[in-house]
Amino acid sequence: MGESSDDVRALRWEPGCLQVLDQRDLPARETWLKLGSAAAVATAIREMAVRGAPAIGIAAAYGVVLSTLAQANLPESERLSVIHAEIETLASSRPTAVNLSWALRRMRRCVDRNMGEPTAVLAEADAILAEDLTQNRQMADLGAALIEPGSAVLTHCNTGSLATGGHGTALGVIRTAWRGRRVSRVFATETRPWLQGARLTVWELARDAIPVTLITDSAAAVTLRDAAIRWVIVGADRIAANGDVANKIGTYALAVLARQHGARLMVVAPSGTVDMALAYGADIPIENREPAEVWKAASSMPPPAGVTVRNPAFDVTPAALVDALVTERGVIEKPDADSMARVFASRQ
């Protein structure tokens, strides 16, 4: 059994520039974008060149660094005003992933403490990146320990190194479980309409020589029935105070199917994804994206007159369908408002 290389990184900082591995081009080619402004980072997030809740937060943190560099020669009051405005631009780039707002609140506090001094702000962004990688490895150990040796698992969207600072959340659990001989095979959904599973998850797993079978989204039910899958393992973009989980569209359907077919649902996300200010999943804002994304995946022709498209990027899975919530703070089995409060009451 080969060792997981975990050498994929979606983000690289170099002096005055954030380099982003453009995930829209994978797996056909590896294109690195060089982003020199906060506005460019916001565009890359909005247009999904960088994606995955933790990676979005990290990229935005470096976007703040770029803002401080651009405004370094302005008078202090004007400098802070412009940086604050660019932080708001970054915050509006994608509304559902709470890691984005969490990282930007932390960066704004650092900006204000240090009057926008770039070196201090860069150190804070570096710390967010390093902490994410550490948390991912902690969660991977915790989640892998829940998996029975020799299990087949199913995952949705992309939750690996491309979506984080490294190793991954749900895919990090799978990587670690594979090394520990707990996972025998991974089934990955396409994840329409952007095909993050087909383009990104399969690419990551293949690089690590982890056996993976790609399935269409519509084949999930029959695969859960026939393949003796023990766990459905997913990430999250926001988790409410009662344990409801917002994640990539299709997660709710997989949770229902898992319950029907005797598989368990594991949600893997750092504590930065938990939003204790929102009581229920129904309160989570769901991003609705352009209809063209769906139609482009179906046909190169424009839709017939009168056809409308619904394109929510996320759905909400009720806490009652979650068997295990794994964060770096530990494992919460069957999360609810009480267990969430015990673990996250002190979260700012």
Side-chain angles (χ1 to χ4, degrees), residues 19-283:
Q19 294 192 49
V20 169
L21 179 58
D22 192 340
Q23 298 186 36
R24 299 167 299 185
D25 287 347
L26 291 172
R29 58 186 180 274
E30 296 183 27
T31 304
W32 285 89
L33 304 176
K34 293 188 175 183
L35 309 179
S37 69
V41 174
T43 298
I45 294 171
R46 186 178 305 109
E47 296 182 357
M48 294 183 65
V50 58
R51 42 140 304 280
I56 287 171
I58 295 164
Y62 284 105
V64 177
V65 178
L66 292 170
S67 181
T68 65
L69 290 169
Q71 323 313 326
N73 294 324
L74 292 178
E76 181 180 301
S77 59
E78 185 179 352
R79 178 168 69 245
L80 292 180
S81 177
V82 174
I83 294 170
H84 290 167
E86 294 199 328
I87 288 174
E88 292 305 312
T89 298
L90 287 161
S92 66
S93 56
R94 295 197 73 185
T96 300
V98 74
N99 306 66
L100 176 61
S101 57
W102 171 84
L104 288 174
R105 284 196 302 272
R106 179 168 165 178
M107 293 301 294
R108 177 163 177 159
R109 290 194 295 268
C110 180
V111 166
D112 291 347
R113 282 196 310 270
N114 296 281
M115 303 304 176
E117 197 281 312
T119 302
V121 178
L122 174 59
E124 190 75 357
D126 287 342
I128 290 174
L129 172 59
E131 289 166 16
D132 183 74
L133 179 55
T134 297
Q135 290 170 355
N136 290 344
R137 296 193 183 281
Q138 292 170 336
M139 293 185 294
D141 290 339
L142 292 168
L146 301 175
I147 301 173
E148 302 85 349
S151 295
V153 301
L154 186 149
T155 193
H156 186 55
C157 197
N158 173 261
T159 56
S161 296
L162 290 171
T164 65
H167 199 60
T169 54
L171 211 59
V173 167
I174 291 169
R175 280 188 163 111
T176 296
W178 164 253
R179 289 204 304 269
R181 300 181 183 274
R182 292 178 176 272
V183 164
S184 59
R185 174 159 293 274
V186 182
F187 291 85
T189 60
E190 295 174 292
T191 321
R192 289 181 174 268
W194 273 81
L195 301 176
Q196 295 99 321
R199 295 188 303 104
L200 307 179
T201 295
V202 168
W203 181 74
E204 285 200 46
L205 291 173
R207 284 175 64 106
D208 282 357
I210 298 174
V212 57
T213 298
L214 177 66
I215 63 171
T216 63
D217 291 358
S218 54
V222 70
T223 303
L224 281 159
R225 185 193 68 189
D226 295 344
I229 290 169
R230 302 284 188 89
W231 285 94
V232 174
I233 308 177
V234 300
D237 287 82
R238 188 178 298 211
I239 302 170
N242 71 334
D244 291 348
V245 175
N247 193 49
K248 181 55 57 185
I249 188 73
T251 302
Y252 177 32
L254 289 172
V256 173
L257 291 171
R259 188 58 55 96
Q260 171 66 23
H261 293 289
R264 286 173 284 176
L265 177 67
M266 183 191 305
V267 176
V268 187
S271 59
T273 307
V274 176
D275 189 348
M276 294 300 287
L278 292 183
Y280 305 103
D283 300 326

Side-chain angles (χ1 to χ4, degrees), residues 292-324:
E293 292 179 352
V294 173
W295 196 258
K296 184 178 180 181
S299 172
S300 60
M301 302 293 291
V307 173
T308 60
V309 174
R310 186 182 182 209
N311 186 20
F314 307 93
D315 56 26
V316 175
T317 298
L321 295 178
V322 178
D323 293 285

